[in-house]
Amino acid sequence: MKRGVVLALVLASRVASAEELVVAADPAPAAPAFAPWQTARLALELELYSQARWTRRAGDDLSDLRLDRGELGGRVALGPCAAAELRLEAIRSAVEGGSLGIDGDSTVVRVKTAQITGSFALGERAPGHGAAPSLRLDGAIGFVPDPWIATLEDGYPVKPLSRTGSERLLAWPTSDLSALARASAGPLRLSISVGNGEGLRFPERNAGKTTTAVLELVPLHRGAQRLTLALVGRDGSLGVASVRDRRVGGSATLVTPWLRVGGEAIRAWGIGDRGAAQGTLLGGWAEGRVIEHAFVAARAATLGFDGGGRASTLGAAIAVEPWHAGRGRLRLWLAVDRLTTSGAAMPLPGADAGDATLVMLIASATAPFTLE
Amino acid sequence: MRSAAVGLVGLLGVVGCAGQPASREQAVVDAIANDNYVWTEREPALVAMKLRKMQRGPYEWMRGTASLYWRDLTEPGSPRAATAFGDPRSSRVLVVGDPHPENVGTFRAADGTMFVDWNDFDATGYGPYTGDLRRLAAGLVIAAHADAALGDELARAVATGYATQIAALAGDSSPAALVEGVHSLLDSELRKARTRGDAHRNLDEFAPVVDGKRVVAFGDLEPTAPDGVIEDRIEPAGAEAAAFVDRAIASWRVGRLDAAAATVKLRARRIGSGVSSYAVRRYDAVLEGASPAVEDDLLVELKETRDGVIVPGIAQREASEWDTPAIRSVDTQRRLQARDDGDVLLGAAQIGGLSFKVRDREAYQRGLSHEDLAALAAGDATHREELRALAALLGGALARAHGEALTADGVRGVTVIAPLLASREVAFADEVATVSVEAAAQITADHARFVDRDLFALIAGAP
């Protein structure tokens, strides 16, 4: 089964790569499998997703305008091998549906990432691999992005539609007060982080640490085509009661100029702050370029609990891209998202109260700025 | 691929520090820790006393664990009994949130009528009406120290009273407030409240008149309990708190009292009330009243209020319907009570990050005691019949509250509840009896598990 999935992804890559040859007459030179250490003196990035949402549910429909993501990050080089990075995000000060916030329920800014990073190249530079060393060691400490979420998002083009399944259904924190060590060699990269495990919401609340390890393999990386396979393991605890937070899983992402597809599968022991809950998450996404500046996308994620019951989200969208330059882009999306729950996944078993259909008009912008 | 996964897991076994095996104890500790997180950071000594108060008995434990109750009921991931009497619309009924028997009390309306109604609106919000109902029934079962047979009877009486009232409301019957003459225990409470209220008992206790002037009776109005819990203490508010009490009163009084009548003569901090809200900030203030004379002074309470029931996983707007928790508490009190003039001084004030509900603190408002219910249960057949009648009355009072208040969808609650119960009253009583007795057993078992533990050390166990 797994071989079949990998084979299908490779075949898809080859089909897409044929299209790539039509678009780009000169294939890009071979590049390192993982992004090289950034040497820019200053790098800024602004990421905004704003949406107008109409929610259809049993009873009154809802409509509201939301800022789904508002992030501003800056990275300053500290010599050739170190950098300091700070990334801020906008969040609502009250919980959803609550009113205990700051000055009403204001949108406030909190730290999402605040890390000191370093990079060291070891060994000889590999011939034919540009500036990539044969072995690179990276490290970070502070509020460090979770290596699993970072790996997923690296090949996840539909962030404006929904967070990844891991983040949305398993409440996997996007960053944590932690220390990260990472080693890259050719197509392999191993990342290990050891942190509090409480994510952004709390400081450390128990004696245990949470360890996350991600092993990535890039078997295909040619021009704009890239296939990434990843494995993840996580073991740790949450809260004063040391609720278990244990995960094992993997993902595959394929990126081509015309098609991006991916999927994740996670086995979870302890979900949210329920130590007894166990389940399996499956997620998948795809984005295809129909014509220049026009895209279609779909995504789905489902979490099945061992005790019976399932929470699922299924979404689809069309998007236009009036502007892009490098990593910078502006897109407008028209999306529909369906939420369903059953059994133990229902907020109120027997009442079907968690089901809803969302129609969203989304404007998303990613705006990087670099000073070399 | 498989060997790589095994390697990763092995690596985690070396480096990681696994969470403890899942257990009920863990779920309870986690819920209590989260519920008390802010207060534990702010005033840990009060939280420690609150936890000791909860350990005194199953009823006190129940009072202190409303958030755990709702978490057990609504949090996805654990097996929970499905209701046969719910749907999406009836999951957005305005609920009391914590309708246990000691949250029933007396009020005096603007025309002087004394009545009995729900008196704690800290946990109100939109949610499933069945959650409120089983909380009430479980509370009665625990208060009565009921055996299986009596517990079943009480829960069925609650359900029957509820269904009967819903049917009456659906038939366009006008709901009546619970006034004198409906039950002997309530009559006794109403009489005491009127007598003590007319005598300004609470005002004189807080600030007796000495040489023609009121002075605050700082100190313990009740001795500290053997377990170290402050029962009823009046402390100086401190300069900062005194300033924000005055600002809160100045903001609250608009539309209620003129500036002279709302002049703050005295203010102090009050410690010892409640169980769930034991650690919140409460201040009592004496206001000038209609004249400079001490006889018409007013006593009001400012009580810190937080978010109420929020059912996660239900599609809802980001923003709450209410600007602040105290405004929610005030608005829902008026909507859930049989009369909206049960407290003419009721209002809200926001000072910085603190949301205060302001209410009349005079003795017209007094609550039922679970010990009175236990006495009825331990009595003869007549007393137990009185207890069953009271259970039915409280079930009816809850139905009236749910049925008359507008839901989150803007319709009367009865229009979404009545169709679910019509011609199914017996099955409804069966379900309520089953789940309520189970909930009571869970609460009792949780209490037994933690009665001798250092609960504060468990919830504040951060390194």
Side-chain angles (χ1 to χ4, degrees):
Chain A
M1 179 71 180
K2 286 178 184 171
R3 285 181 183 172
V5 171
V6 172
L7 182 60
L9 290 171
V10 171
L11 286 175
S13 153
R14 287 181 178 162
V15 170
S17 109
E19 295 180 47
E20 158 70 2
L21 291 178
V22 177
V23 177
D26 298 320
F34 299 99
W37 176 252
Q38 288 185 34
T39 55
R41 283 186 293 155
L42 173 67
L44 302 174
E45 184 180 78
L46 180 63
E47 196 169 15
L48 292 174
Y49 307 157
S50 188
Q51 58 179 237
R53 173 187 291 194
W54 175 73
T55 305
R56 174 88 177 127
R57 60 178 190 176
D60 279 0
D61 294 345
L62 305 174
S63 62
D64 52 356
L65 293 159
R66 295 188 181 213
L67 180 67
D68 187 50
R69 184 178 292 224
E71 296 182 8
L72 175 63
R75 181 180 186 278
V76 178
L78 306 171
C81 296
E85 183 177 343
L86 180 67
R87 191 173 183 92
L88 308 174
E89 68 173 349
I91 60 164
R92 279 280 169 198
S93 61
V95 298
E96 185 153 307
S99 56
L100 188 63
I102 296 172
D103 190 22
D105 180 10
S106 301
T107 297
V108 297
V109 170
R110 74 171 174 186
V111 171
K112 182 176 184 181
T113 302
Q115 59 177 346
I116 305 292
T117 63
S119 182
F120 304 93
L122 298 175
E124 296 179 1
R125 294 181 186 279
H129 283 77
S134 57
L135 177 64
R136 200 178 88 204
L137 299 177
D138 299 320
I141 190 166
F143 264 117
V144 179
D146 180 86
W148 175 243
I149 296 298
T151 297
L152 283 180
E153 289 194 342
D154 198 35
Y156 185 75
V158 290
K159 277 194 289 184
L161 302 187
S162 169
R163 313 280 166 140
T164 61
S166 285
E167 185 182 345
R168 182 168 169 178
L169 295 180
L170 293 177
W172 198 305
T174 56
S175 58
D176 191 21
L177 276 168
S178 57
L180 171 80
R182 173 174 281 162
S184 316
L188 277 173
R189 181 163 75 174
L190 176 65
S191 306
I192 297 177
S193 77
V194 179
N196 287 341
E198 304 287 348
L200 296 170
R201 296 185 58 217
F202 290 103
E204 179 62 296
R205 294 192 292 166
N206 60 48
K209 291 290 164 283
T210 296
T211 306
T212 306
V214 178
L215 179 64
E216 298 165 85
L217 168 66
V218 182
L220 172 67
H221 189 228
R222 192 174 63 210
Q225 303 160 53
R226 176 187 173 92
L227 173 65
T228 306
L229 305 175
L231 291 172
V232 62
R234 179 180 176 88
D235 191 23
S237 55
L238 282 172
V240 296
S242 296
V243 172
R244 64 180 174 172
D245 182 17
R246 188 171 299 157
R247 312 273 186 265
V248 173
S251 71
T253 57
L254 173 68
V255 176
T256 78
W258 290 89
L259 180 68
R260 291 174 174 225
V261 296
E264 60 171 322
I266 299 288
R267 176 69 186 158
W269 294 268
I271 296 173
D273 49 12
R274 280 284 184 194
Q278 298 181 181
T280 301
L281 169 84
L282 296 174
W285 57 90
E287 182 200 75
R289 190 178 350 159
V290 182
I291 56 173
E292 197 69 20
H293 306 302
F295 301 82
V296 293
R299 53 154 300 280
T302 180
L303 173 63
F305 289 95
D306 287 3
R310 181 169 293 282
S312 302
T313 71
L314 174 64
I318 56 174
V320 294
E321 189 174 81
W323 173 83
H324 83 268
R327 289 181 54 246
R329 61 191 64 235
L330 170 65
R331 282 189 180 183
L332 298 173
W333 308 70
L334 181 59
V336 61
D337 198 28
R338 174 71 184 155
L339 318 173
T340 57
T341 57
S342 67
M346 300 173 85
L348 300 165
D352 291 329
D355 294 4
T357 302
L358 281 60
V359 177
M360 298 172 286
L361 179 63
I362 304 168
S364 68
T366 303
F369 169 81
T370 304
L371 183 64
E372 297 296 340
Chain B
M1 184 110 168
R2 179 177 295 174
S3 59
V6 171
L8 265 182
V9 173
L11 183 64
L12 291 173
V14 174
V15 180
C17 186
Q20 294 169 5
S23 66
R24 177 66 187 172
E25 176 169 325
Q26 194 180 53
V28 172
V29 169
D30 188 63
I32 294 175
N34 287 339
D35 192 30
N36 291 282
Y37 182 77
V38 172
W39 301 319
T40 304
E41 295 289 308
R42 193 174 72 192
E43 289 183 285
L46 285 184
V47 174
M49 282 188 257
K50 167 185 172 172
L51 299 177
R52 287 204 292 276
K53 200 170 184 181
M54 287 166 53
Q55 289 172 311
R56 288 177 179 172
Y59 197 87
E60 289 82 358
W61 181 267
M62 181 201 69
R63 289 187 60 180
T65 54
S67 65
L68 174 64
Y69 168 81
W70 281 99
R71 181 175 140 159
D72 283 343
L73 192 69
T74 64
E75 192 170 68
S78 55
R80 293 154 293 149
T83 179
F85 299 89
D87 66 6
R89 289 178 178 83
S90 70
S91 302
R92 297 194 287 270
V93 167
L94 186 60
V95 295
V96 177
D98 195 14
H100 62 79
E102 286 196 343
N103 278 345
V104 172
T106 59
F107 290 87
R108 189 181 72 152
D111 62 3
T113 303
M114 297 293 297
F115 66 99
V116 170
D117 215 324
W118 304 105
N119 71 359
D120 189 319
F121 302 87
D122 290 350
T124 55
Y126 293 114
Y129 74 99
T130 49
D132 253 9
L133 193 56
R134 77 175 67 171
R135 177 83 173 161
L136 169 60
L140 277 160
V141 172
I142 293 171
H145 308 295
D147 57 22
L150 181 58
D152 184 78
E153 286 175 20
L154 290 173
R156 284 177 189 281
V158 168
T160 303
Y162 188 92
T164 302
Q165 180 65 275
I166 287 291
L169 291 175
D172 289 336
S173 155
S174 295
L178 295 175
V179 294
E180 204 163 346
V182 297
H183 193 280
S184 58
L185 179 62
L186 303 186
D187 288 352
S188 169
E189 294 298 316
L190 287 165
R191 280 194 295 272
K192 284 181 196 167
R194 179 184 289 282
T195 303
R196 294 174 182 180
D198 287 347
H200 302 298
R201 176 183 155 143
N202 283 1
L203 174 61
D204 288 341
E205 183 181 65
F206 174 77
V209 178
V210 178
D211 296 333
K213 288 178 62 179
R214 290 199 181 274
V215 291
V216 177
F218 290 115
D220 287 340
L221 298 183
E222 289 180 42
T224 298
D227 57 6
V229 174
I230 296 171
E231 293 293 342
D232 192 358
R233 176 176 293 174
I234 301 173
E235 288 185 348
E240 184 186 7
F244 69 62
V245 165
D246 290 3
R247 280 163 47 213
I249 292 296
S251 144
W252 155 84
R253 67 100 189 155
V254 176
R256 290 180 185 81
L257 297 172
D258 61 40
T263 301
V264 181
K265 296 170 74 171
L266 301 165
R267 77 286 287 162
R269 183 162 186 198
R270 197 83 179 247
I271 297 172
S273 297
V275 179
S276 186
S277 58
Y278 185 88
V280 306
R281 289 187 174 172
R282 297 170 195 261
Y283 300 92
D284 284 358
V286 177
L287 309 184
E288 183 65 86
S291 76
V294 294
E295 290 76 18
D296 62 6
D297 287 348
L298 300 170
L299 179 66
V300 296
E301 178 194 63
L302 294 84
K303 179 183 176 187
E304 180 188 1
T305 312
R306 306 180 65 79
D307 275 334
V309 167
I310 300 171
V311 179
I314 288 183
Q316 58 191 323
R317 286 197 180 88
E318 280 185 306
S320 162
E321 176 179 324
W322 303 279
D323 288 350
T324 69
I327 288 174
R328 170 190 52 76
S329 181
V330 168
D331 176 57
T332 55
Q333 175 166 341
R334 294 189 177 122
R335 290 165 57 185
L336 288 163
Q337 287 194 329
R339 298 186 59 151
D340 64 4
D341 61 350
D343 184 345
V344 295
L345 297 179
L346 184 65
Q350 181 78 19
I351 301 296
L354 292 173
S355 180
F356 287 110
K357 176 181 178 179
V358 185
R359 70 174 183 100
D360 189 351
R361 185 67 169 79
E362 197 39 88
Y364 292 114
Q365 296 183 27
R366 55 178 281 118
L368 297 188
S369 163
H370 74 276
E371 288 160 356
D372 291 339
L373 306 185
L376 286 177
D380 58 21
T382 306
H383 288 119
R384 284 197 291 279
E385 184 50 42
E386 283 183 27
L387 184 57
R388 282 189 286 272
L390 182 64
L393 277 175
L394 297 184
L398 193 59
R400 193 263 314 139
H402 290 166
E404 286 290 280
L406 297 183
T407 72
D409 295 324
V411 299
R412 286 173 71 219
V414 66
T415 63
V416 299
I417 300 170
L420 297 167
L421 306 188
S423 306
R424 301 170 69 202
E425 290 82 359
V426 174
F428 181 62
D430 287 344
E431 181 181 298
V432 171
T434 302
V435 298
S436 303
V437 170
E438 283 176 359
Q442 181 69 70
I443 291 164
T444 305
D446 286 345
H447 171 259
R449 186 192 304 274
F450 288 100
V451 67
D452 293 323
R453 306 284 295 278
D454 185 349
L455 201 47
F456 184 76
L458 289 174
I459 73 153

